[in-house]
Amino acid sequence: MSEADPQRDDLITTLEEAVQAGMPHAVADLTDLVRIPSVSWSAFDQQNVERSADAVAALLRDLHVFETVAVARAPIGAGPDQGQPAVIARRAARDGAPTVLLYAHHDVQPPGKDEDWDTSPFEPTVRGDRLYARGAADDKAGVMTHIAAIRALTEAAGSEFDLGLAVFIEGEEEFGSRSFANFLAENKESLAADAIVVADSDNWSTDVPSLTVGLRGNVTFRLTVSTLEHASHSGMYGGGVPDAMMPLVRVLSSLHDSDGSVAVKGMTSHEAEVPEFSEDELRHDAAVLDGVSVIGRGPVLSRLWNQPTITVTGIDAPSVANASNTLLPSVAVRISARVAPGQRARDAFEALSRHVRENVPFGAHVEIDEVDLGDPFLVDTSGWAAVEAKAAMKDAWGADPVEAGIGGSIPFIADLVREFPDAQILVTGVEDPDTRAHSPNESLHLGVFRRAILTEALLLARLNRRGR
Ligand SMILES: [Zn+2]
């Protein structure tokens, strides 16, 4: 639809100039934010998270487009503990224009050991075209993308534009978003929107943008297999009665086909085109040992984004050093599965637990507990917001965006979908494959930063015209 807009080229040029002129300001503000070590983990000084929230609120107030800007908290679960401070802002839509909610988080991961960093983690440093520091990308650059995009919008449209805006800058994304669901429920009216931009993901490369359209969900649980009331001498009874390890190993081996893909009936895959990515690249990126093959079938990125996977991530059994010659009565493992987009986590869990009970041999007793479920997420890319976002990416980057999946999970997205079922959700970001979020030497590519700001400014400016 933007193709038919006669002012299209003018708008791009105006915003390009505004974003370019605003870059020193955006980088300076980002640098100031990054200097505040706002680690949300409870072992760190929480005053820094408060300072960081106040700094973000001041930047939002300085835009002079919001009717309200506030720092707020919500209880964790049923309380009484409060979550970390978030920042919310809102301006009402005018003349039938839509409202967009802009999400990012101002808290950061712990920096890890100083000696693993080439420069101090909270002293932002530019080397080449990258800005290095904890939070320089994840996700203070997401915060600044929203702020700089609104600045560019006001350059192009003045501060009396029609678009409704809501802003939610979370303060504990890196610490499990523990008060997120309560926060949404308590601030539902302030945050309600027609489209939600979650600026906390990455891009295909520094030259090619991504719109994240799929996220796998997760299922984890403890599986305990038992065969005997107590341990027995393995010489006396071995060969006559089953120890717990044997049926456990047999049932675990039934979870996968011989090529390593999931063999559980009822765990589904998502059908979607994926970009080309070779097994060699996968081997290299994941540091696979010489001679070890990769697993699964179908296109490589479909295995990572659109198919389920099951992994054993822990085991409770005697250690090798303490192993005695006994038949083990009981063994427990932690199962961690990823759920393909399009399937509910609850349904995947039921398929998996049914498979375990049906395939455990010798009538061994099975117990499943400590269940944790997170739903996957799939964007409807035919929605108007996704169509506009992809067009804005193409115009800002000069390259078609990749519709990307993410193998991991962003559990709070499910909370957003639950609270705002009618809103379209756009997952964008300022990271690239060399960002190293959560790791030493995290960095932001400044060209990606500029293109991300221009993309969002274009998106907001075009949505601003939609209401007319
Ligand atoms: Zn993040």
Side-chain angles (χ1 to χ4, degrees), residues 110-459:
K113 292 195 207 115
D114 263 15
E115 57 265 34
D116 293 337
W117 286 75
D118 295 336
T119 48
S120 174
F122 294 110
E123 188 44 60
T125 310
V126 175
R127 286 199 300 282
D129 40 23
R130 305 190 74 94
L131 177 72
Y132 289 83
R134 169 61 78 239
D138 181 14
D139 186 28
K140 285 173 174 167
V143 175
M144 281 312 304
T145 297
H146 296 323
I147 289 168
I150 295 170
R151 281 181 191 155
L153 175 69
T154 58
E155 291 274 313
S159 56
E160 293 304 308
F161 56 85
D162 293 335
L163 185 70
L165 287 175
V167 177
F168 175 22
I169 307 296
E170 196 193 354
E172 58 176 7
E173 197 277 339
E174 304 292 8
F175 198 54
S177 296
R178 298 172 306 159
S179 63
F180 193 96
N182 284 342
F183 197 96
L184 288 187
E186 287 189 1
N187 296 281
K188 190 164 182 174
E189 279 173 25
S190 306
L191 299 175
D194 303 295
I196 303 174
V197 179
V198 175
D200 191 19
S201 189
D202 64 359
N203 291 286
W204 182 251
S205 71
T206 54
D207 300 315
V208 178
S210 298
L211 184 66
T212 301
V213 299
L215 295 161
R216 288 198 290 199
N218 67 285
V219 168
T220 60
F221 57 88
R222 181 172 67 173
L223 165 65
T224 307
V225 170
S226 307
T227 52
L228 305 167
E229 278 179 19
H230 54 76
S232 311
H233 193 291
S234 60
M236 194 119 44
Y237 295 106
V241 298
D243 66 297
M245 187 66 86
M246 180 171 47
L248 175 71
V249 167
R250 296 262 294 262
V251 74
L252 292 180
S253 78
S254 74
L255 297 174
H256 300 92
D257 282 337
S258 55
D259 64 6
S261 51
V262 166
V264 175
K265 208 170 116 214
M267 282 185 82
T268 58
S269 294
H270 173 59
E271 293 302 324
E273 295 250 329
V274 289
E276 222 9 76
F277 194 79
S278 74
E279 287 193 351
D280 282 345
E281 283 173 283
L282 176 62
R283 296 181 60 82
H284 174 263
D285 287 2
V288 178
L289 292 176
D290 267 351
V292 176
S293 64
V294 298
I295 61 169
R297 64 177 82 113
V300 168
L301 290 178
S302 134
R303 302 178 213 177
L304 304 185
W305 295 351
N306 296 331
Q307 296 182 34
T309 176
I310 305 170
T311 315
V312 178
T313 55
I315 180 160
D316 284 343
S319 68
V320 172
N322 288 319
S324 60
N325 290 328
T326 49
L327 302 177
L328 298 178
S330 182
V331 187
V333 290
R334 174 83 58 207
I335 304 268
S336 167
R338 298 284 174 178
V339 181
Q343 180 165 46
R344 290 192 328 157
R346 166 68 51 189
D347 294 339
F349 167 68
E350 272 161 19
L352 188 45
S353 54
R354 192 182 326 117
H355 176 101
V356 167
R357 291 181 199 286
E358 285 174 0
N359 285 276
V360 74
F362 311 120
H365 294 196
V366 167
E367 199 188 329
I368 289 172
D369 59 0
E370 298 181 6
V371 180
D372 185 51
L373 305 177
D375 276 324
F377 173 65
L378 199 56
V379 174
D380 173 10
T381 51
S382 65
W384 54 265
V387 170
E388 288 285 10
K390 285 192 287 182
M393 282 179 171
K394 185 171 179 175
D395 290 334
W397 291 63
D400 277 313
V402 169
E403 291 187 10
I406 292 195
S409 314
I410 308 184
F412 70 73
I413 300 237
D415 292 333
L416 279 176
V417 174
R418 199 176 312 116
E419 204 63 56
F420 302 114
D422 298 326
Q424 299 187 52
I425 299 187
L426 303 169
V427 182
T428 64
V430 284
E431 297 177 22
D432 69 86
D434 291 325
T435 290
R436 300 196 199 171
H438 299 195
S439 303
N441 299 313
E442 172 181 348
S443 67
L444 168 72
H445 187 280
L446 294 169
V448 168
F449 186 39
R450 184 174 51 77
R451 289 185 278 282
I453 295 168
L454 179 55
T455 299
E456 195 167 304
L458 267 172
L459 176 67

